[in-house]
């Protein structure tokens, strides 16, 4: 049986994962090195990559801070009732169940130019939808559960004893956090960050709806890939996809590394 | 005293900020969609949902997501099993590769499928000569869903297989049970909760998928237009109320699935 299952597994991986990955790498070189450079050096490509980079940084920072804090509260806080904690806990997962397109639609419905809030912000000279803030909110929504879900089990596992001991001995809460809690959740947080970066970089549906995909303005790398494919500019799409795929593979390696470190603790 | 009071106010403000952020970012938008879809009352909602193109797209999505999930259960259980039970060359690399669909942008996944199976590619032309088409037809949508949901079943089954007590299996062999019988009666019941929750997550994800599908589906209304692409189209054509109506059908379905997964997992935790 073993002789059958292992080759079969190899076939599944080759067909489903490895062949597509190789295709991206070869496809980008269809016109040689020059074609690749030309596609990436287009102003809209550079701008799109810059937008993706910016959103990824901002969202990862915000999501990490709030995610870790919320995980701490959901596990440790005694000012939240048990029922309340359970309720909040199940709400955390909701973005996983929401299609990215619907996530984008939600933000357009709440903050779009025709809504009360949207009109208010627009009067104040602050555009939300079809601009950067909306794209950041959309990405925050989509990536929200990743950090909380990575940190919560670690906190549950280590228990509150050490922290309680530290605060009984008179340590301030910040001090307790940095010297007692942080060392044990560190690798969980790093794993969460890698997942968040991957998701930010790859987010497509929500950003497409919220951004309006305006070239050189609100276009991100993934929405530019989409537009290039729609315009039958396959080599350009491929070149950008190659950059994204290369970063993804790098992130995958980081994930493996963080996972291993996480298990050591 | 003064210091204590100040720190209490501080932490009160901090707590409120975190919980408020949570509610404004997650809860409010979801309520907003439900409110919007009924904002014009019941008849427009019903009209939006019973529009033939709308319900056809929802049904198509459910059907194709089911197909993708079934394939995923079979392939995922096998891969999970092989990666845990056998030691062979390349096992660790394959095990890391499982997560690739999580790390890769879905639009890139869609483009890969388009390039590999599309018109002009070797596979696409071979299929066409045999008389069936992949890209811009249903098979491509299923493949896209399959690619995106590939890790779920594997990652749900693996920990159960790892935890499993090998002695039960050995006892079955010693008592003369065949390999097939041991699998069906001993191993399968142990990993079933993992298969079920993995399958449900995969199904929910397949229902929601947009990026990979929109590039390969061709998006012909009533034929290869899935629900999330339909919603996108409604938003683009400035019909947010119609988009919201179809959205809440999809959302409610996903929430039910997520809730059942939570129930299954908490039962397992208690057992």
């Amino acid at each position: 049986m073993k002789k059958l299952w292992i080759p079969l597994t190899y076939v599944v991986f080759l067909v489903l994962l490895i062949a597509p990955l190789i295709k991206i790498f070869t496809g980008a070189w269809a016109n040689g090195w020059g074609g690749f450079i030309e596609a990436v050096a287009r102003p809209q490509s550079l701008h799109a990559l810059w937008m993706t980079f910016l959103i990824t940084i901002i969202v990862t920072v915000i999501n990490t801070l709030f995610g870790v804090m919320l995980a701490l509260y959901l596990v440790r806080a005694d000012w939240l009732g048990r029922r309340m904690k359970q309720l909040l806990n199940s709400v955390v997962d909701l973005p996983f169940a929401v299609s990215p397109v619907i996530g984008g639609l939600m933000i357009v419905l709440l903050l779009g130019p025709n809504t009360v809030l949207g009109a208010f912000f627009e009067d104040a000279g602050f555009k939300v939808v079809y601009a950067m803030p909306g794209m950041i909110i959309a990405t925050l929504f989509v990536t929200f559960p990743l950090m909380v879900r990575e940190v919560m089990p670690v906190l549950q596992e280590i228990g509150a004893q050490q922290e309680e001991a530290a605060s009984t001995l008179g340590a301030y809460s910040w001090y307790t956090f940095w010297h007692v809690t942080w060392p044990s959740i560190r690798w969980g947080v790093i794993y969460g960050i890698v997942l968040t970066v991957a998701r930010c970089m790859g987010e497509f549906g929500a950003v497409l709806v919220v951004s309006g995909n305006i070239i050189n303005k609100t276009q991100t790398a993934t929405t530019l890939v989409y537009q290039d494919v729609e315009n039958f500019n396959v080599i350009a799409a491929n070149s950008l996809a190659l950059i994204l795929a290369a970063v993804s593979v790098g992130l995958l390696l980081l994930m493996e590394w963080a996972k291993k470190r996480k298990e050591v603790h | 005293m003064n210091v204590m009071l100040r720190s209490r106010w501080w932490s009160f403000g901090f707590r409120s900020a975190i919980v408020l952020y949570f509610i404004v970012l997650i809860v409010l938008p979801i309520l907003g969609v439900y409110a919007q879809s009924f904002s014009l009352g019941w008849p427009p909602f019903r009209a939006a949902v019973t529009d033939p193109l709308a319900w056809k797209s929802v049904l198509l999505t459910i059907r194709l997501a089911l197909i993708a999930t079934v394939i995923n259960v079979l392939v995922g259980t096998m891969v999970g099993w092989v990666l845990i039970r056998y030691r062979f060359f390349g096992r660790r690399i394959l095990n890391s590769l499982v997560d690739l669909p999580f790390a890769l942008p879905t639009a890139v996944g869609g483009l890969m499928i388009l390039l590999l199976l599309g018109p002009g590619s070797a596979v696409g032309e071979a299929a066409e000569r045999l008389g069936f088409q992949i890209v811009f037809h249903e098979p491509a949508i299923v493949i896209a869903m399959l690619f995106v949901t590939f890790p779920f079943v594997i990652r749900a089954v693996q920990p159960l297989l790892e935890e499993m007590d090998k002695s039960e299996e050995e006892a079955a062999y010693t008592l003369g049970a065949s390999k097939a019988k041991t699998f069906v009666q001993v191993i399968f019941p142990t990993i079933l909760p993992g298969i079920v929750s993995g399958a449900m997550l995969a199904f929910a994800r397949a229902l929601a998928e947009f990026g990979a599908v929109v590039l390969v589906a061709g998006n012909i209304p009533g034929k290869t237009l899935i629900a999330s692409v339909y919603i996108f189209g409604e938003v683009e054509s400035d019909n947010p109320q119609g988009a919201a109506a179809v959205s809440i059908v999809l959302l409610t379905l996903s929430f039910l699935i997520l809730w059942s997964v939570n129930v299954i997992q908490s039962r397992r935790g208690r057992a």
Side-chain angles (χ1 to χ4, degrees):
Chain A
M1 283 308 257
K2 193 176 165 180
K3 283 215 178 88
L4 173 71
W5 291 128
I6 293 173
L8 208 56
T9 305
Y10 261 105
V11 169
V12 168
F13 274 88
L14 270 176
V15 171
L16 210 56
L17 298 176
I18 300 173
L21 204 58
I22 291 172
K23 187 71 194 176
I24 285 284
F25 278 84
T26 53
W29 310 110
N31 275 8
W33 179 247
F36 174 74
I37 292 290
E38 202 181 308
V40 176
R42 292 176 302 167
Q44 66 261 44
S45 304
L46 294 175
H47 187 268
L49 286 171
W50 171 242
M51 285 298 279
T52 297
F53 177 76
L54 219 58
I55 291 174
T56 304
I57 298 286
I58 296 171
V59 169
T60 307
V61 170
I62 299 177
N63 194 38
T64 305
L65 289 177
F66 280 94
V68 172
M69 289 305 300
L70 191 74
L72 271 172
Y73 283 156
L74 284 181
V75 177
R76 294 271 190 271
D78 35 22
W79 49 274
L80 280 168
R82 227 175 67 85
R83 294 244 150 223
M84 191 64 191
K85 260 191 220 174
Q86 266 172 354
L87 182 71
L88 288 178
N89 199 7
S90 45
V91 174
V92 169
D93 280 330
L94 291 186
F96 279 151
V98 176
S99 172
V101 181
I102 301 177
L105 170 68
M106 288 171 176
I107 289 156
V108 174
L109 288 180
L110 272 184
L111 299 169
N114 302 327
T115 60
V116 183
L117 276 174
F120 171 76
F121 280 121
E122 199 127 324
D123 282 343
F126 189 71
K127 226 169 153 236
V128 180
V129 170
Y130 309 125
M132 190 75 167
M135 296 158 77
I136 290 173
I137 297 172
T139 316
L140 277 174
F141 176 84
V142 171
T143 55
F144 185 76
L146 296 171
M147 181 60 76
V148 183
R149 281 287 164 259
E150 278 310 314
V151 177
M152 270 184 69
V154 186
L155 281 172
Q156 270 155 355
E157 210 171 294
I158 59 173
Q161 284 172 351
Q162 287 186 334
E163 286 162 32
E164 276 160 15
S167 43
T168 322
L169 292 171
Y172 299 112
S173 50
W174 270 113
Y175 192 86
T176 316
F177 177 78
W178 278 116
H179 290 262
V180 181
T181 316
W182 174 249
S184 32
I185 63 170
R186 191 173 38 183
W187 293 105
V189 173
I190 289 175
Y191 192 67
I193 289 177
V194 178
L195 286 179
T196 309
V197 169
R199 193 65 215 267
C200 287
M201 189 189 78
E203 187 39 48
F204 173 62
V207 168
L208 184 62
V209 172
V210 170
S211 71
N213 205 8
I214 307 160
I215 193 166
N216 280 334
K217 268 202 174 136
T218 62
Q219 197 162 46
T220 64
T222 48
T223 56
L224 178 58
V225 169
Y226 170 68
Q227 202 197 328
D228 278 338
V229 174
E230 296 284 282
N231 296 342
F232 301 105
N233 194 351
V234 176
I235 290 176
N238 236 317
S239 307
L240 270 171
L242 173 66
I243 294 179
L244 290 173
V247 179
S248 299
V249 171
L251 287 170
L252 197 66
L253 294 175
L254 264 177
M255 263 191 224
E256 276 305 301
W257 173 74
K259 219 193 282 179
K260 233 176 277 155
R261 296 300 301 254
K262 209 171 67 176
E263 276 156 15
V264 170
H265 284 275
Chain B
M1 194 60 201
N2 196 16
V3 173
M4 248 181 84
L5 209 65
R6 209 167 54 197
S7 93
R8 189 171 294 164
W9 277 113
W10 225 96
S11 76
F12 178 76
F14 216 63
R15 285 166 187 182
S16 318
I18 302 274
V19 174
L20 201 68
Y21 170 80
F22 182 50
I23 289 169
V24 168
L25 187 70
I26 309 295
V27 182
L28 205 63
I30 293 175
L31 293 179
V33 171
Y34 278 87
Q36 173 77 26
S37 55
F38 291 111
S39 62
L40 303 176
W42 178 249
F45 172 76
R46 217 181 49 192
V49 175
T50 51
D51 180 53
L53 291 181
W55 61 257
K56 264 188 192 161
S57 73
V58 172
L59 285 183
L60 178 76
T61 313
I62 295 175
R63 186 162 56 86
L64 296 180
L66 269 178
I67 298 174
T69 309
V70 169
I71 300 175
N72 237 323
V73 165
L74 297 175
V75 174
T77 311
M78 180 197 82
V79 171
W81 168 263
V82 169
L83 289 178
I84 292 287
R85 276 307 167 85
Y86 299 136
R87 295 287 171 271
F88 56 94
F89 177 74
R91 186 185 73 94
R92 288 194 41 175
I93 298 176
L94 292 191
N95 198 22
S96 318
L97 262 180
V98 170
D99 286 325
L100 181 71
F102 282 161
L104 204 69
T106 51
V108 175
L111 177 63
M112 284 173 168
I113 295 167
L114 189 64
L115 289 175
L116 213 57
L117 306 176
S121 71
V123 183
E125 271 172 17
E128 204 146 315
R129 235 176 286 128
L130 290 174
F132 63 95
Q133 286 157 315
I134 302 175
V135 165
F136 308 134
H137 289 78
E138 287 179 11
I141 304 177
V142 174
I143 294 171
M145 287 175 170
L146 201 60
F147 177 80
V148 173
T149 58
F150 182 66
F152 285 104
V153 177
I154 302 175
R155 290 297 185 233
V157 167
Q158 276 181 333
L160 293 178
L161 275 172
E162 233 162 26
E163 275 170 30
M164 206 180 124
D165 196 357
K166 249 198 156 172
S167 59
E168 279 178 39
E169 209 184 320
E170 279 156 10
Y173 288 138
T174 326
L175 293 170
S178 66
K179 275 206 163 164
K181 200 174 176 193
T182 313
F183 185 82
V184 173
Q185 299 204 326
V186 179
I187 301 169
F188 186 68
T190 325
I191 60 175
L192 188 64
I195 296 180
V196 171
S197 61
M200 283 178 141
L201 288 174
F203 182 65
R205 183 69 211 274
L207 283 183
E209 185 45 39
F210 175 70
V213 173
V214 72
L215 284 177
V216 298
N219 309 322
I220 305 154
K223 273 194 171 158
T224 60
L225 187 75
I226 62 158
S228 57
V229 183
Y230 177 83
I231 295 167
F232 175 63
E234 291 300 291
V235 177
E236 292 288 275
S237 51
D238 219 13
N239 179 14
Q241 199 266 334
V246 179
S247 294
I248 68 165
V249 175
L250 214 59
L251 271 182
T252 312
L253 199 61
S254 310
F255 288 159
L256 284 177
I257 295 169
L258 197 71
W259 178 73
S260 344
V261 171
N262 276 339
V263 169
I264 292 173
Q265 276 171 348
S266 66
R267 269 220 198 116
R268 245 190 67 222
R270 241 180 281 146

